[in-house]
Amino acid sequence: MTLITLTASVDFLRPPPCTNASLGALYTGIALASLGAGGTGITLATMGADQFQHNHEHTIFFNWYFLISYACIATSSTVVVYIQERVSWGLGFGVCVAANLTGFMVFMLGKRYYRHVKPKESPFASIGRVVVAAIMKRNAARNNCYFFGTAHEVSRLNCVPSTDFSFLNNAALKPESNSQSSDLLIDKRSWKLCTVEEVEDLKILLKIIPLWSSSILLSATIGVFMSLIILEALAMDKHFGDNFEVPAASFLTFNILSTCISLSILDRLVLPWWQKLTGHYPTPLQRIGVGHIINIIALVGSALVENQRLQVVKNLHLEDQPGSVVPMSAFWLVINLTTIGISEALHYPGQVAFYYQEFPESLRNTATAMISLIVGIGFYSSAVVIGLVRRATEWLPDDINEGRADYVYWLMAGIGVVNFAYYLICAKFFKYRAAVKLSVHSNT
């Protein structure tokens, strides 16, 4: 942020004119900002959740984590942007530098109080060893003599491997020559032999992948929605009162505010009420499922609003006047932006809580990164969907008044319904780690 502030404040670093020095400073600043966001945004969620022990505490933490994140996005997209446009870009970026420094100092002040989790070896190496060992011993005889590792690891998972993905169990089979020897004498980092816990950790990941994949299309529908909502706002009356006009891009702030308010209501009212009524908090999968449903409702509502807007275009014959603003209030879009915000308040924290709780402990940093990966892939997929629609149909011409964006919304709602059905199938067959451990222990 300091480097980006300098590109906006120092003459010889400020593009344009785009000299090599200014471009180098700008690109370096953007690259550093991306690395910094990846390092803090993902890891802080895991570290914060590590301070708590119970699943319902993790749920509450993730609610507040997303609430603060969305509130900060709302602040940056309004206050900071206002300073940049009305005062100076240098001062606007300078505010961001001050915010970063303040956050860093607060973080360091709490260092002595944090509950630290000791780092272990790379979890990806463990996954690789399981795959390699299972392939190398694919024809090995099943002697039911498995490697559990150290005494500490045996106490954590004192059972035979599960029958799911049973071909991976070969990775934990001890050779005949070592079948009677102590587990402690075997090298646990061998590429020919893995612990039962490592095998079960990989199985957990394989079971989560279908549920994870269902969230990609969910994010893709949101990406298409966000793209079209701006185009609609540009072609509608954005006046609030007689003299104030809301910028089209600022309508997305309603989505952010809706998510913030929804998270507060969920944390203070809905979740405690649910706990009192049923005796337990809703599971992450239940929250994600409700988020799917509300997202579909928002897409259907968007199709209806756009259809009404196109009726006004047709009645006034505005399709023959490129770039015309339809005399229909853009604040009709706020209804569906608010609905999408409610959906995000349910499924995004629900997904992070689900991955954090169900991923192996060694992969919890990766677990909280999954949501960023989902959003990234989903929004890139939305660009692909829009490109395909433009090629295959005439629904999205350059002038939205000449197209049928309502059909696109209906298409996205249909995709959402199919994806929700796929999600329900995946969720039905998924077993939480606690249930699996209880089942295996009872069988043994």
Side-chain angles (χ1 to χ4, degrees):
M1 289 310 307
T2 301
L3 194 55
I4 292 176
T5 303
L6 292 174
T7 63
S9 306
V10 180
D11 289 340
F12 77 91
L13 291 179
R14 182 190 305 152
C18 287
T19 63
N20 290 335
S22 65
L23 286 176
L26 179 62
Y27 292 154
T28 302
I30 293 173
L32 291 174
S34 300
L35 289 172
T40 56
I42 292 170
T43 312
L44 277 175
T46 303
M47 183 177 175
D50 285 342
Q51 311 307 307
F52 305 95
Q53 295 183 342
H54 303 293
N55 285 345
H56 76 274
E57 293 174 336
H58 298 150
T59 299
I60 294 172
F61 168 77
F62 287 126
N63 281 344
W64 282 97
Y65 175 82
F66 274 90
L67 172 61
I68 294 173
S69 297
Y70 273 85
C72 291
I73 293 172
T75 302
S76 63
S77 61
T78 53
V79 177
V80 176
V81 171
Y82 179 86
I83 293 173
Q84 289 172 337
E85 291 187 351
R86 298 298 177 91
V87 184
S88 76
W89 281 87
L91 180 60
F93 286 130
V95 170
C96 297
V97 173
N100 274 265
L101 287 173
T102 303
F104 177 70
M105 288 187 291
V106 172
F107 174 77
M108 294 305 295
L109 286 173
K111 183 179 179 181
R112 60 181 295 187
Y113 303 105
Y114 298 142
R115 179 184 176 192
H116 297 279
V117 177
K118 293 183 179 180
K120 301 179 181 179
E121 64 170 334
S122 170
F124 301 104
S126 172
I127 292 172
R129 286 202 308 273
V130 172
V131 174
V132 171
I135 294 174
M136 292 178 67
K137 295 189 291 184
R138 60 187 179 277
N139 297 321
R142 295 291 179 88
N143 54 19
N144 290 328
C145 189
Y146 295 99
F147 176 46
F148 292 94
T150 65
H152 171 66
E153 290 166 328
V154 172
S155 66
R156 291 174 59 190
L157 189 66
N158 191 17
C159 61
V160 297
S162 64
T163 56
D164 299 326
F165 304 105
S166 58
F167 64 92
L168 292 175
N169 293 344
N170 290 341
L173 279 174
K174 289 193 290 188
E176 292 290 341
S177 58
N178 292 321
S179 60
Q180 303 299 323
S181 63
S182 171
D183 287 345
L184 301 178
L185 300 178
I186 302 176
D187 181 11
K188 66 168 290 189
R189 289 178 174 79
S190 170
W191 287 81
K192 295 182 180 179
L193 182 64
C194 303
T195 65
V196 172
E197 182 182 6
E198 289 173 326
V199 172
E200 293 302 312
D201 284 350
L202 178 55
K203 290 180 180 180
I204 290 170
L205 293 181
L206 294 176
K207 294 174 184 176
I208 289 176
I209 285 175
L211 282 166
W212 175 79
S213 65
S214 70
S215 297
I216 293 177
L217 278 179
L218 177 63
S219 292
T221 58
I222 294 175
V224 173
F225 171 85
M226 294 300 181
S227 299
L228 294 182
I229 211 80
I230 297 297
L231 295 177
E232 290 178 277
L234 286 169
M236 299 175 74
D237 180 12
K238 298 176 287 298
H239 283 89
F240 185 75
D242 296 331
N243 300 318
F244 183 73
E245 184 176 12
V246 179
S250 296
F251 275 84
L252 296 181
T253 306
F254 291 105
N255 166 253
I256 299 170
L257 293 175
S258 170
T259 304
C260 291
I261 296 170
S262 300
L263 284 168
S264 301
I265 295 174
L266 281 170
D267 188 73
R268 297 290 90 187
L269 296 176
V270 177
L271 296 183
W273 172 79
W274 184 283
Q275 196 272 339
K276 288 181 180 179
L277 189 65
T278 64
H280 57 81
Y281 281 85
T283 65
L285 289 181
Q286 288 172 335
R287 292 185 63 178
I288 297 170
V290 176
H292 274 268
I293 295 173
I294 296 177
N295 185 67
I296 294 170
I297 293 173
L299 292 169
V300 171
S302 297
L304 296 175
V305 171
E306 174 62 8
N307 180 266
Q308 184 61 38
R309 193 190 70 83
L310 290 175
Q311 288 294 328
V312 177
V313 170
K314 183 178 179 180
N315 293 338
L316 299 178
H317 306 288
L318 297 177
E319 65 271 19
D320 299 327
Q321 304 175 31
S324 298
V325 174
V326 180
M328 176 178 173
S329 176
F331 286 90
W332 280 102
L333 305 174
V334 174
I335 299 174
N336 297 309
L337 282 164
T338 301
T339 309
I340 285 284
I342 297 172
S343 168
E344 292 180 7
L346 285 160
H347 66 76
Y348 279 147
Q351 287 179 66
V352 174
F354 171 71
Y355 299 134
Y356 180 85
Q357 293 170 15
E358 296 304 310
F359 264 46
E361 291 184 10
S362 59
L363 280 170
R364 278 185 171 173
N365 269 346
T366 306
T368 53
M370 295 297 284
I371 188 64
S372 299
L373 189 61
I374 288 170
V375 173
I377 296 175
F379 273 66
Y380 276 117
S381 301
S382 70
V384 173
V385 170
I386 289 176
L388 291 174
V389 169
R390 285 176 62 88
R391 285 188 178 186
T393 70
E394 297 181 352
W395 297 347
L396 292 175
D398 292 336
D399 187 353
I400 194 173
N401 290 339
E402 299 176 3
R404 293 307 303 257
D406 55 334
Y407 290 172
V408 181
Y409 282 126
W410 284 116
L411 175 63
M412 290 298 101
I415 291 175
V417 170
V418 174
N419 185 52
F420 179 57
Y422 169 65
Y423 170 81
L424 288 178
I425 294 172
C426 296
K428 180 176 177 60
F429 289 100
F430 181 82
K431 293 182 179 180
Y432 287 96
R433 290 179 67 187
V436 171
K437 288 184 178 181
L438 180 62
S439 174
V440 172
H441 280 285
S442 61
N443 291 334
T444 56

